[in-house]
Amino acid sequence: MFCIQCEQTMQTPVANGCQYAMGMCGKTSEISDLQDVLVYMLQGVSAYANAAREVGVVDAAADAYIPQAFFSTLTNVNFDAERLVAYTAEAVAAKTRLKAAYEAACTVQGVEPKTLVGAAQFEISAEKAAMLSQAPQTAVNRDVETIGEDILGLRLLNLYGLKGVAAYMEHARILGQQDVEVYGEFHRIMARLGEDPSDLNELLELAMATGHLNYKVMEMLDKGETDAFGHPVPTKVNMKTVAGKAILVSGHDLIDLQHILEQTKDKGINVYTHGEMLPAHAYPELGGNYPHLVGNYGSAWQNQQKEFANFPGAIVMTSNCLIDPNPGSYADRMFTRNIVGWPGVVHHTGDDYSAVIEKALECEGFKYDEIPHYTMTGFARNALMEAAPAVIEQVKAGNIRHFFLVGGCDGDKQERNYFTEFTKATPDDTLMLTLACGKFKFNDLEFGDVNGIPRLLDVGQCNDAYSAIQLVIALAETFECGVNDLPLSLILSWFEQKAIAILLTLLALGIKDIRVGPTVPAFLTENLINHLNEQTGLRLITNVEQDLKDILG
């Protein structure tokens, strides 16, 4: 195996990347190799989907399927070999179908079919043994000795960024949001990456195209969530437990939470959110409609083995991030959903959650109420726009001098304490926006307010990055300046491929001087980091005192 897509990546004297029997995320070399084969096969399907569009053929089933299967290869999502093989079988069928449709349309129109290269020519039997035997042909570093580490790094920046886009496309699709043009652009980029481009400038252009694509997808996702559940409103959420039977819902897909809430009404079961599900409490059609959505349990994904082991109820993982449930002995009361998978854990399909409810009723539940402790969430797009005039007034009055967006992924590394210390060190006349699970490093702290405006504004999930971008754009329009002229600094923590997609979006929108940490993505070489720094000001965090001095002067 060779995997270098997340912040857990092994660092070795020989090379960066997980290369041994098991990756740091817990996936085996077999799972990693099956994922490589699946990704390469999907690039071939996209090649035919892209070519077919040129002769007027659009396959809606393939459009929906390819991002979904691509999402399954994201860090901490699917560790189930049987399901990865099944995804590949679907990819083989989709490619055969699209190729036939493309060639038939060419014949009807009197057009010579293109000879597609790279991944489009890859043929495989969707059997595990065959896939593993051909895995070396599909490894992401298969030609590094020819192209060099800089080009490989740029290819992987694109591949991993596009993988993050695919995840957001699947979140949007589940909410009924699909767009033919968005799928077309996705296929174009995916297909080109399957041809192994090696021109630096082209790869940089593809990275910016991926960023622009992700912005459109985030807009679709925002519409899907707000159409279905209303616009979030600032909401106080209890972070402690209450007595009673319990179900814990983790991940990102709010529609799954809604199904569970609806089916547990009047059953004496309390429902808790976990991790990226925390912002669900702010949606009127969720937190506002179901009193038995009683609070948020636990913190970020990396603590789940301890926290889930202590949760006396059923657990539903709707999307990333999943860790091996066996050390905590809770695999028998966990259910995976959508593209998530772990061997031996029940995978739930359909919208009937009876099995989850039965398991919750079998479990002990919490015996007593804990003393409540609250955090605020729900400062998404509409709430931020409503607050904007008051914020602008305080800026003009000199009471707010700077904005920080401190958000992104959480993780295990000790260096991530930087984000806690950074927020604690920000001056009282500054405001902080936060989103994604990185907020669990500091959202239990008291930061006070600026004349009634909370100094910490929780925008929501990583899915809600669109909301933060809209506020930034609105502020720039109000002050009649460019975004980079605002008193605004972005301090981002990255862990996996969704964070890379959002970073590419910000860079594509022209936002400069972003600080990222706790480490540089291992696939970005020193040359690439220097190039990105020269072009965009992108840089690594240093220490809290120095970074605040550089930002505030």
Side-chain angles (χ1 to χ4, degrees):
M1 69 178 288
F2 176 82
C3 185
I4 199 169
Q5 67 183 8
C6 78
E7 191 249 352
Q8 295 175 108
T9 293
M10 291 180 182
Q11 306 289 326
T12 72
V14 179
N16 294 328
C18 296
Q19 305 180 58
Y20 306 106
M22 181 174 289
M24 290 296 289
C25 66
K27 71 179 177 184
T28 62
S29 59
E30 177 181 270
I31 293 297
S32 181
D33 289 348
L34 292 175
Q35 289 180 348
D36 285 347
V37 172
L38 173 58
V39 168
Y40 199 57
M41 193 68 207
L42 292 172
Q43 289 176 326
V45 183
S46 276
Y48 277 101
N50 184 55
R53 272 171 155 74
E54 296 178 4
V55 290
V57 175
V58 175
D59 187 323
D63 284 353
Y65 163 71
I66 296 170
Q68 179 188 54
F70 197 23
F71 185 6
S72 76
T73 69
L74 190 140
T75 302
N76 293 103
V77 173
N78 199 311
F79 300 78
D80 191 326
E82 290 185 7
R83 289 181 59 202
L84 293 171
V85 171
Y87 282 142
T88 304
E90 289 187 59
V92 170
K95 179 182 170 184
T96 300
R97 187 176 70 245
L98 274 163
K99 180 179 180 181
Y102 169 60
E103 292 175 349
C106 286
T107 299
V108 170
Q109 297 175 29
V111 176
E112 183 70 23
K114 292 181 178 179
T115 300
L116 303 183
V117 299
Q121 295 183 336
F122 183 65
E123 301 291 342
I124 194 167
S125 168
E127 298 175 354
K128 187 162 74 171
M131 291 172 63
L132 293 173
S133 69
Q134 291 181 257
Q137 301 174 42
T138 67
V140 294
N141 65 337
R142 54 189 172 269
D143 57 351
V144 64
E145 293 181 0
T146 302
I147 61 173
E149 292 189 353
D150 290 343
I151 294 301
L152 175 63
L154 268 184
R155 281 186 190 172
L156 295 181
L157 176 65
N158 278 278
L159 183 68
Y160 298 152
L162 193 60
K163 191 176 290 193
V165 178
Y168 291 127
M169 290 173 75
E170 175 62 6
H171 290 315
R173 186 197 66 81
I174 288 172
L175 293 168
Q177 298 299 310
Q178 296 176 274
D179 184 279
V180 173
E181 292 184 3
V182 164
Y183 283 122
E185 178 69 350
F186 171 84
H187 290 311
R188 182 187 74 84
I189 299 171
M190 186 79 157
R192 184 61 184 129
L193 292 176
E195 296 172 346
D196 293 338
S198 56
D199 180 78
L200 183 142
N201 289 326
E202 181 192 5
L203 286 164
L204 288 171
E205 289 174 1
L206 281 173
M208 294 303 98
T210 299
H212 285 298
L213 173 63
N214 191 55
Y215 183 67
K216 294 177 183 176
V217 173
M218 300 295 282
E219 183 179 16
M220 290 165 55
L221 181 52
D222 176 85
K223 184 179 189 307
E225 289 177 337
T226 55
D227 282 357
F229 311 113
H231 284 275
V233 295
T235 300
K236 190 166 65 171
V237 182
N238 185 15
M239 303 295 282
K240 297 296 183 179
T241 60
V242 299
K245 304 289 185 177
I247 294 175
L248 183 65
V249 186
S250 189
H252 301 76
D253 292 316
L254 302 178
I255 191 69
D256 295 316
L257 175 62
Q258 186 182 48
H259 288 314
I260 291 170
L261 289 169
E262 187 63 29
Q263 293 171 39
T264 50
K265 286 193 302 187
D266 305 321
K267 284 188 166 57
I269 298 174
N270 294 321
V271 178
Y272 296 82
T273 56
H274 170 265
E276 289 272 54
M277 275 290 184
L278 166 62
H281 293 264
Y283 287 87
E285 295 300 318
L286 296 174
N289 271 355
Y290 301 98
H292 62 298
L293 180 60
V294 295
N296 187 80
Y297 174 87
S299 52
W301 67 273
Q302 75 275 6
N303 302 316
Q304 68 185 252
Q305 286 180 325
K306 178 181 178 180
E307 293 173 349
F308 287 7
N310 293 327
F311 186 83
I315 302 165
V316 180
M317 290 293 299
T318 69
S319 65
N320 58 308
C321 301
L322 173 66
I323 303 177
D324 183 358
N326 293 299
S329 300
Y330 52 85
D332 63 333
R333 51 191 171 84
M334 172 178 272
F335 299 80
T336 59
R337 177 73 169 142
N338 304 319
I339 40 71
V340 189
W342 189 277
V345 171
V346 174
H347 183 67
H348 180 84
T349 58
D351 297 330
D352 181 355
Y353 284 86
S354 298
V356 176
I357 292 169
E358 288 174 12
K359 179 60 68 174
L361 292 172
E362 290 173 7
C363 294
E364 184 178 35
F366 290 104
K367 294 182 178 179
Y368 56 85
D369 295 346
E370 292 185 305
I371 298 172
H373 176 75
Y374 296 95
T375 191
M376 289 290 294
T377 190
F379 293 96
R381 178 163 53 89
N382 265 26
L384 289 174
M385 292 302 102
E386 290 175 4
V391 171
I392 291 165
E393 182 180 338
Q394 294 302 318
V395 172
K396 290 180 176 179
N399 298 322
I400 298 174
R401 64 164 160 155
H402 206 84
F403 299 87
F404 296 99
L405 197 163
V406 187
C409 313
D410 203 2
D412 271 331
K413 288 188 176 179
Q414 183 69 23
E415 295 94 325
R416 288 180 177 274
N417 289 335
Y418 168 94
F419 299 98
T420 308
E421 298 307 314
F422 186 92
T423 56
K424 289 165 65 175
T426 56
D428 291 342
D429 59 352
T430 62
L431 292 188
M432 291 174 285
L433 301 175
T434 190
L435 70 164
C437 64
K439 62 173 163 274
F440 287 103
K441 280 283 186 280
F442 46 81
N443 72 337
D444 60 342
L445 303 177
E446 295 292 336
F447 292 103
D449 62 83
V450 177
N451 293 330
I453 301 169
R455 287 196 57 234
L456 180 66
L457 302 171
D458 179 6
V459 177
Q461 299 181 349
C462 66
N463 295 24
D464 300 309
Y466 181 77
S467 290
I469 292 171
Q470 294 312 297
L471 176 64
V472 171
I473 292 172
L475 289 174
E477 290 175 350
T478 298
F479 287 107
E480 298 181 342
C481 66
V483 167
N484 294 307
D485 298 317
L486 289 170
L488 168 72
S489 300
L490 278 66
I491 319 294
L492 306 180
S493 54
W494 86 283
F495 177 80
E496 39 87 319
Q497 298 84 74
K498 286 181 174 179
I500 299 300
I502 292 174
L503 176 62
L504 291 181
T505 296
L506 296 172
L507 296 178
L509 293 174
I511 297 175
K512 296 185 181 297
D513 300 326
I514 299 170
R515 286 172 166 81
V516 65
T519 57
V520 173
F523 51 85
L524 291 182
T525 65
E526 184 177 352
N527 287 338
L528 293 175
I529 288 293
N530 289 337
H531 181 82
L532 290 170
N533 176 261
E534 291 172 5
Q535 297 297 314
T536 70
L538 180 71
R539 67 196 72 187
L540 186 66
I541 58 173
T542 59
N543 62 72
V544 171
E545 182 179 4
Q546 185 62 54
D547 286 346
L548 277 173
K549 181 179 179 181
D550 291 344
I551 291 167
L552 297 175

